[in-house]
Amino acid sequence: MIATSSQGGMMGRDQLEKGGQAGENHAESAGWIFHFPQQPARDLPVQPAGPPARKKAVALRRLARTGSVKLEGIRSSIPRLLETERAYGHVFVFTPVFLGLGAFFWFSLPNDPAVVPLILLFAVSASLAVRLVYHQNLFSYSLAALALMTGGMLLAAFETRHAGTVVLDTPVTTMLTGTVAGRDIDERGRWRYLVDVTGTSDPTLRRPPERVRLLARSAHEAATLGQRIEGRVRLSPPSGPALSGLNDFSFSSYFNGIGAVGYFYGRPEVGDDTPAAVSSLPGLVLHPVKQWLASLRGAIGTHIRQTIGGDAGAIAAALVTAEERAIGDETIEALRQSGLAHVLAISGLNMVLAAGTFLIGARTLLCLVPGLAHRVPIKKISALFALVMVTFYILISGGAVSAVRSWIMICIMLVAVLFDRPSISMRNVAMSALIILVITPSAVTGAGFQMSFAATLALVAGYAAWRDRPDREDEPVRIAVWQRLRPIGQFFGGLLLSSFIGGLSTMVYSIGHFHRIPAYGLIGNLLAMPVISIIVMPAGLVAMLLMPFGLDHYPLLLMGLGLDWVIVIARSVSGWGGEIATGKLAPAAFFLIALGGIVACLLRTRLAVLGGLLIGAGVVMTLWPASAPRPVLVVSEDGELVALVKAESMAVNRDKPPAFIADQWRRSLKLTDTEPSIRRDDVVSKDPPEQAKTQTGRQDRRHKQKKPPIDRMAAKAAMLRLLAETPQERFACAAKQWCAARSQQGWRVITVDDPRFLGPACDSGDIVIVRARLRLTECRSGAVLITGQSLRRSGALEIRARQPVPGMTAGNIGDKIEITGAMTDVRRPWTRHRLYDWRRDRFDDEPGEGEIAVSGSGE
């Protein structure tokens, strides 16, 4: 029996070996047929005789067979994986992705594309996609993606045409009359108004903006919504990018309907209420409602700030009414450096905490009624009341874009509860994104939209992975104390995990838009979010519910106490090391990492590896050495601020550079310090006494005389002497006249404030920058001339040293430098105001002759 068994075992083993060899031969044949050149296996490289050579040949053949089988398996598994994704419903969740890609691509183009070809392409691709809707293959999916991208481009074109905002073309001082459409207050008690312009005078503007934002710096009786406001103002166009690839504020201003920003000279005059010009019946009904809501919002914000006081009161008011300007600059910076700046915005976090607190509270109260939970669906009733509450919340908050986005998402989730559908799902996130993109496609370019949906996608994907994890039998808990503390551990563990996922998913957007990330943001959120979730938001919700009855005092004090703790945490965490400056991120790397994160979150099968590959490619591109060196010289779009860029700092031509521009330069160029200019009063050219002034204290512009000429030779000698005496890479200035510096490459850079010194500057310098809009386009000496007129077309400039090439001869300075403008073209609707000439009352769509040649952003 033993012998028989042994023989049987040996025979079985021989059969298995033969069967295995036959299977290998079959796989080998299939692999050669489908994947490799049709040649027999014996055609592999012949190895010398001997055991090592035989083993190597066998290994080569086995590797070829394994590779062919794997490739064939991957190819055959793709349709199955696509079918699985379709069964999950992920075809729909990719709809807003492709729609947003189309809109993003349209806004990124240098010119407006023709609409008719887009309509034809959309019609053809959409009709073919509908006809092939039941053919679930890559071709039908590609057609649907093309139709969605084209549809996104058409939506972007429609929104741009519908906006039609008149943007001011040049800074101007004028008398303005308008109606207050909105207001908020800053930490110094100054009011900032949103004004609908009704008229201008002295001078009368030919293209007056329809809506402006103005700061009143003098004490006055605050104007309410609907009141007439009048005063002398200084208006300026919304600023463009501080450097190529940075945020263009004129874009957001155009789609928000704001055509200019500025401030009042002195105290504005406030008049009576001005009736709004209403041309439709809905407007006649909605206008009084808007005014009532705005008045209620202002009263609530003032009441909260007066009750709590300090920065805590300002933050509490911001959580309810979205008025953030009353918060101190130091507190805002501490919140940013500790990773808690998202608390200030009425975002998904605030909406979820408010709706969740109300939902749980209402459900608990209804459960206390005996027998009620058995007769009525108290969960749905609580969700309905929570829906009403968040809707009132969005109305009180002013309806900012970020708040509306969060409100739509929360409403979809609450409606899903009413219809017994899962409230947390990718379909709900996709539906909210789809609604926003159809209404406002321009939101896809903003940091708020990108960061909020990136965090939401990551959190929902993490929740789905945790929910669908393999079940395992829970071991009995032997320690009773640990069993009681388990919910607390789950709460803090979930908080830590959600903070980590949210921070990781939004990191690329923080780098791409703000060029910095908080060094200890995870710790800051871990310490502060329990206070916000347990104390601040519930107390604020209770205070708002009790405010109509005058019983909100103590809940507001509790809310303020929690916010005081949050401020202490923010300041402590920010003191550990602040933030990490990352510099500008290449647009291609940003796009790959962002798209890879979306793909990895949306896909549930092994196809999600594609997202990881995209992220890896973006990271490699980020770590790859930059092709363009750091600029030597940067110039602001108005020519007022110029900086020489060093290894760790920059030297500017101002004693106190404007922080708005300087901070953006430091973060994007990864600089740590700013060196102000050296004041040299001994080289200032003296002018004769000023001409007499009128009784009003101002010179009469009609009789204003030109300034006397200067001594050109003396000015040139002073410039050359200052260039020789000043340390390299440092600006020295004759106040309100000119500044001079030498770069590390030996370039002589002169900035001119007074146009009378343009001639000596051209004779003394290699690069001359003058703020005035001059018709002169070049220096006779060969120096590069940059004027306010050329900067109007190019935007801010980056000047680099041109890389030498073999055989390159020494020429003038123009052959040694490379100039990059922040704008490649100014013919888009939100930048076309730069082409307007108010003297001729028309747009100059063709560039002027002799202007300096600048390259595009190249990014």
Side-chain angles (χ1 to χ4, degrees), residues 449-624:
F449 177 89
Q450 296 173 5
M451 296 181 74
S452 63
F453 274 105
T456 305
L457 279 179
L459 291 173
V460 173
Y463 169 76
W466 174 262
R467 180 191 58 196
D468 299 339
R469 70 189 187 281
D471 295 332
R472 62 179 183 180
E473 297 182 0
D474 294 331
E475 297 181 358
V477 181
R478 299 178 181 178
I479 303 176
V481 176
W482 167 248
Q483 188 174 5
R484 295 178 180 179
L485 295 179
R486 188 175 181 181
I488 300 177
Q490 290 178 343
F491 171 77
F492 284 99
L495 183 64
L496 175 62
L497 185 60
S498 60
S499 299
F500 176 76
I501 293 175
L504 185 64
S505 61
T506 58
M507 183 180 297
V508 64
Y509 302 99
S510 298
I511 297 174
H513 290 283
F514 308 114
H515 319 296
R516 59 178 178 177
I517 53 177
Y520 301 100
L522 180 60
I523 299 177
N525 279 273
L526 186 61
L527 294 175
M529 289 313 299
V531 179
I532 296 173
S533 304
I534 300 174
I535 299 177
V536 174
M537 291 305 296
L541 178 60
V542 173
M544 290 301 299
L545 294 176
L546 297 179
M547 190 174 291
F549 308 101
L551 303 175
D552 58 304
H553 182 74
Y554 291 106
L556 285 179
L557 292 182
L558 180 60
M559 184 182 186
L561 178 62
L563 289 173
D564 284 331
W565 294 348
V566 171
I567 294 174
V568 171
I569 293 172
R571 290 177 176 172
S572 300
V573 174
S574 64
W576 296 348
E579 60 190 14
I580 301 174
T582 60
K584 288 193 295 186
L585 183 64
F590 174 82
F591 178 78
L592 288 175
I593 296 175
L595 184 60
I598 294 173
V599 172
C601 290
L602 292 183
L603 296 179
R604 297 283 295 276
T605 64
R606 285 180 293 175
L607 291 177
V609 177
L610 297 175
L613 295 177
L614 291 174
I615 295 175
V619 172
V620 170
M621 187 175 296
T622 302
L623 300 177
W624 198 264

Side-chain angles (χ1 to χ4, degrees), residues 12-230:
R13 183 163 55 250
D14 292 338
Q15 291 176 357
L16 288 175
E17 289 178 354
K18 291 180 181 179
Q21 184 177 2
E24 290 179 357
N25 292 335
H26 178 71
E28 178 183 5
S29 174
W32 285 114
I33 292 175
F34 291 104
H35 291 284
F36 297 97
Q38 294 186 0
Q39 57 181 5
R42 62 177 178 272
D43 290 343
L44 290 171
V46 180
Q47 302 293 335
R54 189 179 302 110
K55 290 181 179 180
K56 190 172 183 179
V58 171
L60 288 174
R61 285 194 294 269
R62 185 171 298 171
L63 180 63
R65 289 194 298 268
T66 305
S68 65
V69 172
K70 288 183 177 180
L71 291 175
E72 178 65 22
I74 292 175
R75 178 180 297 181
S76 61
S77 64
I78 289 178
R80 177 174 53 83
L81 295 176
L82 290 176
E83 178 63 24
T84 304
E85 295 290 349
R86 189 183 67 83
Y88 274 117
H90 289 170
V91 175
F92 172 75
V93 299
F94 272 95
T95 299
V97 175
F98 289 106
L99 200 69
L101 285 175
F104 189 87
F105 177 72
W106 192 91
F107 289 120
S108 302
L109 293 175
N111 297 312
D112 290 349
V115 177
V116 174
L118 288 178
I119 295 176
L120 294 177
L121 180 60
F122 173 76
V124 173
S125 58
S127 59
L128 290 177
V130 171
R131 289 180 63 87
L132 300 176
V133 67
Y134 296 107
H135 297 74
Q136 305 295 336
N137 51 39
L138 286 177
F139 181 69
S140 62
Y141 291 151
S142 300
L143 284 176
L146 178 60
L148 288 172
M149 292 183 65
T150 311
M153 297 178 68
L154 290 175
L155 288 173
F158 175 78
E159 184 191 14
T160 304
R161 183 182 294 269
H162 182 264
T165 304
V166 178
V167 183
L168 187 68
D169 58 284
T170 185
V172 64
T173 300
T174 183
M175 288 293 298
L176 182 140
T177 305
T179 305
V180 177
R183 66 172 191 171
D184 53 23
I185 192 171
D186 64 7
E187 74 279 4
R188 290 192 248 173
R190 302 179 304 180
W191 287 97
R192 188 180 64 163
Y193 296 103
L194 188 64
V195 180
D196 290 332
V197 179
T198 57
T200 59
S201 61
D202 192 25
T204 301
L205 304 183
R206 293 181 178 178
R207 292 180 64 254
E210 298 176 358
R211 175 169 288 188
V212 298
R213 193 180 294 279
L214 298 170
L215 176 65
R217 299 180 292 187
S218 301
H220 67 286
E221 183 181 355
T224 59
L225 269 72
Q227 278 193 306
R228 180 181 58 84
I229 192 168
E230 182 179 1

Side-chain angles (χ1 to χ4, degrees), residues 562-791:
L563 289 173
D564 284 331
W565 294 348
V566 171
I567 294 174
V568 171
I569 293 172
R571 290 177 176 172
S572 300
V573 174
S574 64
W576 296 348
E579 60 190 14
I580 301 174
T582 60
K584 288 193 295 186
L585 183 64
F590 174 82
F591 178 78
L592 288 175
I593 296 175
L595 184 60
I598 294 173
V599 172
C601 290
L602 292 183
L603 296 179
R604 297 283 295 276
T605 64
R606 285 180 293 175
L607 291 177
V609 177
L610 297 175
L613 295 177
L614 291 174
I615 295 175
V619 172
V620 170
M621 187 175 296
T622 302
L623 300 177
W624 198 264
S627 57
R630 180 182 287 182
V632 177
L633 191 72
V634 289
V635 184
S636 64
E637 65 174 352
D638 57 358
E640 181 179 355
L641 187 64
V642 181
L644 283 170
V645 181
K646 304 181 183 181
E648 299 293 336
S649 62
M650 63 179 181
V652 297
N653 64 330
R654 290 286 179 265
D655 295 335
K656 296 180 180 180
F660 180 72
I661 301 295
D663 291 345
Q664 294 185 72
W665 285 359
R666 280 199 302 267
R667 290 194 298 266
S668 62
L669 299 175
K670 298 179 66 174
L671 304 174
T672 58
D673 195 14
T674 301
E675 299 178 3
S677 61
I678 302 173
R679 186 183 180 98
R680 292 288 299 270
D681 294 330
D682 57 320
V683 295
V684 176
S685 300
K686 303 296 183 181
D687 289 336
E690 295 183 2
Q691 44 189 316
K693 296 182 179 180
T694 62
Q695 295 180 355
T696 60
R698 292 196 300 259
Q699 290 182 354
D700 191 346
R701 291 178 299 173
R702 294 171 297 180
H703 304 288
K704 186 176 179 180
Q705 299 178 358
K706 293 183 179 180
K707 292 184 178 180
I710 63 169
D711 188 343
R712 296 170 59 95
M713 297 302 296
K716 179 179 178 181
M719 292 178 184
L720 293 176
R721 178 162 62 89
L722 212 60
L723 286 168
E725 295 175 355
T726 307
Q728 195 178 40
E729 295 186 295
R730 190 72 183 271
F731 274 99
C733 298
K736 299 182 180 181
Q737 293 182 352
W738 51 270
C739 297
R742 288 180 298 116
S743 69
Q744 186 179 7
Q745 294 76 10
W747 305 343
R748 296 169 296 179
V749 181
I750 299 179
T751 65
V752 179
D753 293 332
D754 191 339
R756 294 180 298 169
F757 292 90
L758 179 59
C762 284
D763 295 337
S764 307
D766 297 318
I767 301 175
V768 180
I769 302 150
V770 57
R771 297 169 52 189
R773 293 184 182 176
L774 304 177
R775 297 181 181 179
L776 187 66
T777 57
E778 59 184 5
C779 291
R780 291 177 297 180
S781 61
V784 174
L785 178 61
I786 301 173
T787 67
Q789 184 65 22
S790 62
L791 288 170

